[in-house]
Amino acid sequence: MASGNGSNFEALVEAGARQLLPAQVVSLVVNNPGCGASQRAERLGIGVTCLNHRSFASRDSLDGALVDHFQAVGVDLVVMAGWMRIVTSRLIRAYPERLVNIHPSLLPSFRGVDAIGQALAAGVRLSGCTAHLVSEEVDAGRILAQAAVPVVPGDNHATLARRIQAQEHRILPLAVGLAAERLGLLHSQP
Ligand code: GRF
């Protein structure tokens, strides 16, 4: 699931292709038609489904459509790789322990929107990213992987975001692998 640029989505696809992640990305859902993630999926040959939140009456009905889609495809795990919408229990309960999110802060610090802006405003010297399971409380589910980066003098939103994203691309595939392992989804090759 992605809403914007899609660099984390592409990192997952690449990790699968290089067998750094024992899983394959089989489907991308976007909510913004034509977004960068959608363009990346077309280049990478991965099917894209657009579920535009503007066409749904509620968060719950959007999440119902997401669940229908994932069940039709038959996925084992769902990754919110830059999905800029709050999800409801409809999706969370359909994929218990199977819904992974990437967040640009060292949780539990700076939950919610604009975590990078919050970190800059707070003047922290260390920031980073967290891959975690999604629970009903926003950005509060079980932590799977984290990486820290320094905040350096002169940093702005863009420079810090770039430093954090480089680490997101590294830890998100690791976290998906860990989530799959916890669920017993990984099988040795015959
Ligand atoms: C990432 O920084 C992620 O932490 C946040 O949204 C951003 C998505 O970036 N949730 P991209 O679309 O994967 O490039």
Side-chain angles (χ1 to χ4, degrees), residues 1-11 36-37 40 80-84 101-105 112 115-116 128-130 139 161 164-165 168-169 172:
M1 298 162 62
S3 300
N5 180 23
S7 66
N8 280 286
F9 157 71
E10 184 158 356
R40 288 175 195 258
M80 293 165 56
W83 181 254
M84 309 309 263
N101 182 47
I102 183 77
H103 181 78
S105 79
I116 294 172
C129 48
T130 304
D139 296 328
I164 289 173
Q165 282 219 332
E168 290 183 343
H169 301 161
L172 185 56

Side-chain angles (χ1 to χ4, degrees), residues 130-149:
T130 304
H132 63 98
L133 292 173
V134 177
S135 62
E136 307 223 2
E137 194 184 339
V138 174
D139 296 328
R142 177 194 282 270
I143 291 171
L144 296 167
Q146 289 185 304
V149 303

Side-chain angles (χ1 to χ4, degrees), residues 88-140:
T88 66
S89 55
R90 184 92 168 256
L91 177 64
I92 297 166
R93 289 184 190 165
Y95 287 92
E97 310 281 308
R98 290 166 186 254
L99 184 59
V100 176
N101 182 47
I102 183 77
H103 181 78
S105 79
L106 288 174
L107 290 173
S109 294
F110 310 128
R111 292 176 177 162
V113 291
D114 194 18
I116 294 172
Q118 291 183 55
L120 287 169
V124 294
R125 287 286 159 257
L126 201 60
S127 184
C129 48
T130 304
H132 63 98
L133 292 173
V134 177
S135 62
E136 307 223 2
E137 194 184 339
V138 174
D139 296 328

